[in-house]
Amino acid sequence: MRKTRNLVFLHVVVCLLLLPRGAEGERPKVGVALSGGAAKGIAHIGALKVIEEAGVPVDFVTGVSMGSIVGGLYAAGYTTAELESLVLAIDWDELFTDRIPRRNLAMEHKIWDRRYQISLPIDDRKVQLPSGLIAGQNITRTFARLTTPVQHTRDFRKLPIPFLCLAADIANGEIVVLDSGHLSEALRASMSIPTVFAPIKIGDRLLVDGGLARVLPAEDAKNMGADIVIGVDVGERPRDESELRSIIDMTHQALTLFMTPEIDRQRELCDILIEPDVHDVELYEFGKGRMLIDEGEKAARAVLPQLEQLADSLSRLASPEPPKIRPKIQGFYVIEIAIEGLARVPRELVERELDFELPGRLTISDIEEGVDRVYNTQLFHRVAYGIGPTEGGSRLTLRVSEKTENLFRIGFRYDSHREGMLLLNTTWRDNSSYGATFALDLILSEEWEIDAKYFMHSGILRALGVRARVNTTRRDLDVFEGDQRVATYRTQYSYAEAMLGSIFSSTMNAAIGVRAEYMDQALETGSIEFSDRYDTVVPVFGKITIDSYDRTVFPASGFFLDLSAELADSDLGSDVSFTRYYLDQRLVLPLLRRLSLLQAVYVGTTRGDGAPPGYLFYLGGVDQPVTFLGEDATFLGLKHQERTGEHVQVFQLGVQIEFLPNKFLQVGWNIGNTFHEWNTDLDFDRYINGGGIAVGMDTIVGPITFTMMTSERHDFLTHFSAGYRF
């Protein structure tokens, strides 16, 4: 095959040399065809670098899958040096995920971040499997930003270098040539590996990775008008028997054998074929960018004499053309907004999230921030954008894919105190009602819980929303004498709540609300003088919550504040009158790249006669509530709920080190106590000192943590937990 190709190339060069000088300006056209190959396609950058160095003019570019991404950006005017910098700087783990950065989540959605191990769509009242593991919002966003300079270009032949890429229609397997439309969407469709990435709808076709139909688009380069085709092939080749060791290897082999005749036909159409030696690289190893670029360059240098001979022959026929540079665009004067794909979500909700004043000038950052706000509503699988010319300025077009399915989610956890716990969740969306969401949680354990929440946008201000909640919980409240547990009360606690606040803000929720509560407390174990108790309480409350943690599990930076005030009065339907105030403040301050300072303050007071036990403050244990309705916290060196009182004062300090990727060490110290009388006297004899060391790791099933503690009350305590907190 190689000998035949060399003879063809020699014939082409001889013909070029024999053409008369009068043919100047009519030189043969050169097309570059870049194959698919997932991560291996990064090698195309190295090959293009050598093609440039040899002085070969590139008149057409065709690509498939990763070849379409490299080829499309190159055709849009990116230099190989710029492409190399992009590839080496990209965070591939972040790119290939749909996870919204935690800091961008609405406050109401942050409680669901990193809570479930399994999440499945419910469609037509049946639990389904997703069409792809990744919807690709971050990829869509990245492609849109990178192709911004050519956003106005709808005909890909009018790019700095004429371009097309291939996709496949998943309905019938037909090859689909993408040579017009939105370049970012074409690139996204061409690399949509089935089952990995969700397919892309363009026109009336549902498109997936073009490599299913044609891995090397040499034929398409000729169809564009190329007389000479330079192919770069990084695709899979059949493996030897010794290399077939797993079911994945067998699957790759079957697909490769099926595609081999077509691949060989396309390779025969290439006049020069560059074959980087990347067969030992797995399709997902995008972190090997440096090595892959080097291998592409090495393979191209192996045919450098042919490239230089071609360049010299072509230069005899026409003067070299200056490189075509992509336009520099800082922003757009946007006249109007078009939104494609809306079916149930109100247009005004999208416009409110965009928060643009039109007509007006928008930078790329402005547009991306607006698009992110729309996506962060979690009403859409994908939100893509394109910018096109219109009379008097530009039109911003959003192309959205609504989430029509609901969710069934599962979480599980084990810890030393509550032992095994299972969390089942169903989440139902009503996109037509300002993104209304109904969520039902069922926690199965010795201490069980049923929690139902309904929340929606107010339709007035962007962040303002309303929430209704009904909850019933069974909890054990411990009674200690000294450091020994002497009794346990089993509490049945039920409440209904309504709240109005900025729950859709990503940083702060300022809210007011009212609850109707019923508590039934009965002695479960032990012997104590207190009798069973029943309480009905109707408190009104106000709270301010700020949450800027960068991640839910082992945050490396961020600030948390929960300031709450509650009032119950017998004139407002409560059995007793009391007030409760508390401040929960936490700081994670990065000191070095993998070292953070941990600091926390918790103070609270309950005033009035006969406040129910659920309104006391409980201190001690790991990941335990310091108030019945409050946030979970840790007090090192005490048993679960070892200290109880109407007032609490706690200060904590520590450090967190990520000593290996996703492996953490925390060293902490705390001082605090609960009291029956509020006192600001800082006499250290009033407080309990404790400290400890925790070793943890973030795994695919959630965090796993082992904590060792000591204090003046206990020489040695331990705690183990596995799974997300709920």
Side-chain angles (χ1 to χ4, degrees):
M1 183 183 297
R2 183 179 296 273
K3 182 177 179 181
T4 301
R5 190 161 50 247
N6 288 340
L7 289 174
V8 171
F9 174 72
L10 179 61
H11 174 73
V12 169
V13 172
V14 170
C15 291
L16 292 176
L17 293 174
L18 293 178
L19 282 174
R21 294 292 294 176
E24 185 170 347
E26 300 176 3
R27 65 167 178 79
K29 302 296 183 180
V30 178
V32 173
L34 305 177
S35 77
K40 302 180 183 188
I42 296 174
H44 293 316
I45 298 172
L48 287 170
K49 184 189 298 186
V50 177
I51 293 171
E52 278 185 354
E53 180 185 319
V56 176
V58 178
D59 301 293
F60 306 103
V61 177
T62 60
V64 172
S65 194
M66 192 64 185
S68 72
I69 298 169
V70 174
L73 295 178
Y74 186 71
Y78 283 85
T79 66
T80 53
E82 289 172 325
L83 291 176
E84 182 174 342
S85 297
L86 283 172
V87 163
L88 298 181
I90 285 177
D91 184 338
W92 294 98
D93 290 336
E94 180 180 347
L95 186 67
F96 292 140
T97 180
D98 294 321
R99 180 179 298 278
I100 300 172
R102 189 180 185 279
R103 283 179 172 147
N104 295 339
L105 285 172
M107 294 293 288
E108 192 64 25
H109 290 292
K110 286 185 178 182
I111 61 171
W112 289 333
D113 185 57
R114 304 298 298 273
R115 197 166 186 238
Y116 309 100
Q117 282 88 356
I118 299 171
S119 183
L120 299 171
I122 301 175
D123 203 358
D124 194 23
R125 299 183 181 181
K126 296 179 181 178
V127 177
Q128 310 282 346
L129 292 176
S131 60
L133 297 177
I134 304 170
Q137 174 63 20
N138 286 341
I139 297 172
T140 297
R141 184 180 187 273
T142 299
F143 288 173
R145 182 175 68 252
L146 294 176
T147 59
T148 294
V150 293
Q151 283 276 4
H152 283 182
T153 304
R154 292 292 181 263
D155 183 351
F156 299 167
R157 286 180 174 269
K158 295 181 180 179
L159 292 171
I161 301 175
F163 169 76
L164 67 76
C165 60
L166 302 182
D169 188 329
I170 192 63
N172 53 33
E174 292 180 356
I175 294 174
V176 178
V177 175
L178 300 173
D179 57 4
S180 62
H182 296 281
L183 179 60
S184 60
E185 289 288 271
L187 301 184
R188 172 65 180 83
S190 183
M191 52 79 67
S192 297
I193 302 172
T195 72
V196 177
F197 297 102
I200 297 298
K201 188 87 170 181
I202 296 182
D204 58 352
R205 290 178 177 267
L206 194 61
L207 303 181
V208 295
D209 194 307
L212 289 183
R214 183 176 297 150
V215 175
L216 180 64
E219 176 180 334
D220 306 281
K222 286 190 172 293
N223 291 340
M224 288 188 79
D227 302 293
I228 300 164
V229 176
I230 301 173
V232 186
D233 185 12
V234 297
E236 291 280 325
R237 306 302 296 165
R239 305 184 183 190
D240 295 333
E241 181 179 340
S242 60
E243 298 176 285
L244 303 177
R245 296 183 293 270
S246 69
I247 188 172
I248 295 177
D249 294 335
M250 295 293 185
T251 302
H252 283 169
Q253 182 79 340
L255 183 60
T256 301
L257 290 173
F258 174 77
M259 296 294 297
T260 294
E262 172 63 14
I263 294 173
D264 289 341
R265 187 175 75 85
Q266 296 299 319
R267 287 161 63 93
E268 284 291 341
L269 294 174
C270 297
D271 301 290
I272 299 177
L273 185 61
I274 300 172
E275 303 176 79
D277 185 9
V278 293
H279 302 303
D280 291 334
V281 178
E282 298 295 338
L283 299 175
Y284 54 82
E285 292 186 301
F286 289 89
K288 294 185 175 181
R290 177 74 276 162
M291 182 272 282
L292 289 163
I293 292 172
D294 290 343
E295 286 297 330
E297 186 173 348
K298 178 181 176 182
R301 292 198 181 282
V303 296
L304 184 58
Q306 292 174 269
L307 293 172
E308 291 176 332
Q309 188 177 5
L310 175 61
D312 182 63
S313 301
L314 294 173
S315 67
R316 294 172 182 270
L317 300 176
S319 300
E321 299 177 4
K324 297 177 181 178
I325 302 174
R326 70 183 185 279
K328 301 292 184 182
I329 296 178
Q330 300 300 322
F332 302 89
Y333 186 73
V334 178
I335 301 294
E336 60 185 33
I337 296 175
I339 306 175
E340 301 174 357
L342 287 181
R344 302 181 64 195
V345 177
R347 179 187 172 92
E348 54 266 29
L349 186 149
V350 177
E351 291 177 338
R352 187 175 63 245
E353 294 297 327
L354 288 174
D355 198 23
F356 295 154
E357 293 186 8
L358 301 180
R361 188 161 190 82
L362 299 176
T363 66
I364 299 305
S365 295
D366 294 333
I367 296 171
E368 285 192 338
E369 289 172 5
V371 168
D372 286 347
R373 287 193 295 269
V374 173
Y375 180 68
N376 292 347
T377 63
Q378 303 199 48
L379 300 176
F380 305 98
H381 289 295
R382 294 174 59 250
V383 182
Y385 71 88
I387 302 167
T390 190
E391 185 177 352
S394 299
R395 176 191 294 111
L396 173 63
T397 301
L398 262 62
R399 300 178 299 281
V400 301
S401 173
E402 291 186 359
K403 288 183 177 179
T404 56
E405 75 278 4
N406 302 297
L407 293 174
F408 173 71
R409 299 185 280 199
I410 302 173
F412 44 86
R413 172 180 170 83
Y414 175 89
D415 69 42
S416 301
H417 176 70
R418 298 180 68 186
E419 299 184 338
M421 292 172 282
L422 177 66
L423 170 61
L424 304 178
N425 167 273
T426 56
T427 301
W428 303 83
R429 299 184 179 91
D430 181 3
N431 294 353
S432 62
S433 300
Y434 294 100
T437 299
F438 173 77
L440 178 64
D441 278 341
L442 173 61
I443 296 178
L444 301 176
S445 72
E446 190 69 18
E447 296 182 323
W448 52 263
E449 179 176 353
I450 302 173
D451 187 45
K453 290 199 300 185
Y454 179 85
F455 58 90
M456 62 178 289
H457 285 83
S458 65
I460 304 172
L461 300 176
R462 186 170 64 83
L464 189 64
V466 294
R467 184 185 75 186
R469 183 176 187 181
V470 177
N471 180 289
T472 183
T473 304
R474 189 174 75 182
R475 285 284 186 271
D476 291 338
L477 301 180
D478 296 328
V479 179
F480 280 78
E481 289 184 358
D483 60 0
Q484 296 299 316
R485 182 183 293 106
V486 295
T488 298
Y489 279 93
R490 176 142 293 174
T491 299
Q492 182 74 37
Y493 178 75
S494 302
Y495 70 89
E497 175 185 271
M499 185 180 78
L500 172 69
S502 54
I503 61 178
F504 292 100
S505 165
S506 61
T507 55
M508 183 178 75
N509 176 21
I512 57 174
V514 60
R515 280 194 303 271
E517 311 173 4
Y518 177 75
M519 282 173 275
D520 179 353
Q521 179 178 292
L523 185 65
E524 179 74 12
T525 61
S527 175
I528 201 165
E529 297 178 357
F530 299 141
S531 61
D532 295 350
R533 177 167 177 167
Y534 309 92
D535 291 287
T536 299
V537 183
V538 185
V540 293
F541 63 87
K543 66 184 305 177
I544 296 175
T545 306
I546 299 173
D547 186 344
S548 66
Y549 279 169
D550 62 337
R551 57 194 185 214
T552 300
V553 176
F554 300 113
S557 66
F559 178 77
F560 177 87
L561 174 72
D562 191 5
L563 178 61
S564 178
E566 297 158 303
L567 167 66
D569 193 291
S570 57
D571 293 335
L572 299 177
S574 296
D575 291 343
V576 292
S577 299
F578 65 91
T579 59
R580 182 174 71 168
Y581 308 92
Y582 64 82
L583 168 69
D584 184 1
Q585 175 269 315
R586 310 177 201 180
L587 174 67
V588 182
L589 180 66
L591 302 177
L592 299 172
R593 183 169 176 266
R594 295 184 180 273
L595 174 66
S596 298
L597 175 72
L598 309 177
Q599 175 268 323
V601 171
Y602 194 91
V603 292
T605 179
T606 303
R607 298 185 182 276
D609 296 329
Y615 277 85
L616 301 178
F617 296 96
Y618 298 85
L619 202 61
V622 175
D623 296 341
Q624 299 299 327
V626 289
T627 71
F628 202 77
L629 288 174
E631 293 292 328
D632 284 355
T634 295
F635 192 91
L636 299 169
L638 291 181
K639 295 178 181 179
H640 170 69
Q641 297 180 355
E642 186 171 336
R643 297 294 298 164
T644 306
E646 290 86 355
H647 315 280
V648 65
Q649 297 171 1
V650 175
F651 177 77
Q652 298 175 328
L653 197 64
V655 293
Q656 175 179 281
I657 304 169
E658 188 176 4
F659 58 91
L660 290 172
N662 296 319
K663 311 293 189 303
F664 299 87
L665 174 68
Q666 294 179 341
V667 180
W669 164 81
N670 47 218
I671 182 171
N673 209 340
T674 59
F675 309 97
H676 294 293
E677 296 291 337
W678 179 261
N679 194 325
T680 57
D681 181 8
L682 296 180
D683 182 357
F684 285 97
D685 291 338
R686 300 173 59 242
Y687 298 100
I688 299 170
N689 279 279
I693 298 175
V695 180
M697 59 190 298
D698 190 8
T699 73
I700 193 171
V701 295
I704 299 174
T705 307
F706 178 70
T707 306
M708 298 175 290
M709 303 171 283
T710 186
S711 71
E712 57 202 61
R713 282 176 168 255
H714 303 282
D715 292 334
F716 187 68
L717 296 173
T718 63
H719 183 269
F720 174 79
S721 66
Y724 299 123
R725 287 167 56 179
F726 54 79

